[in-house]
Amino acid sequence: MKVKVDQALCQGHTLCAMKAPDVFELDDVDGHSSPVSPEVPAGLESQVVSAVRSCPERAISVEGTA
Ligand code: SF4
């Protein structure tokens, strides 16, 4: 599974990082989220799906399945 965050949509709500703390990192300056790696580590897919659902801006997109 691959994951991306659309920086134009992300508003830095941090919800994704609370759902999947090992997958998303937040920028120190603007708080925007980005994936630590575009490839989701094995075992963290369900956290990423939860993060996608929690993002109010629909900024997170995923490709492929677990
Ligand atoms: S939940 Fe969505 S809007 Fe908030 S930081 Fe994560 S990607 Fe950005």
Side-chain angles (χ1 to χ4, degrees):
M1 180 191 267
K2 290 186 186 296
V3 62
K4 279 193 287 194
V5 175
D6 186 330
Q7 296 299 311
L9 294 176
C10 177
Q11 296 296 319
H13 301 295
T14 77
L15 295 168
C16 55
M18 284 192 269
K19 297 284 186 185
D22 294 327
V23 174
F24 298 100
E25 59 188 0
L26 302 175
D27 187 275
D28 287 340
V29 176
D30 61 16
H32 287 190
S33 171
S34 56
V36 175
S37 156
E39 193 68 45
V40 176
L44 297 182
E45 291 92 350
S46 63
Q47 287 186 16
V48 171
V49 170
S50 178
V52 169
R53 291 193 184 125
S54 76
C55 178
E57 310 299 333
R58 302 207 171 276
I60 308 169
S61 57
V62 293
E63 248 177 56
T65 51

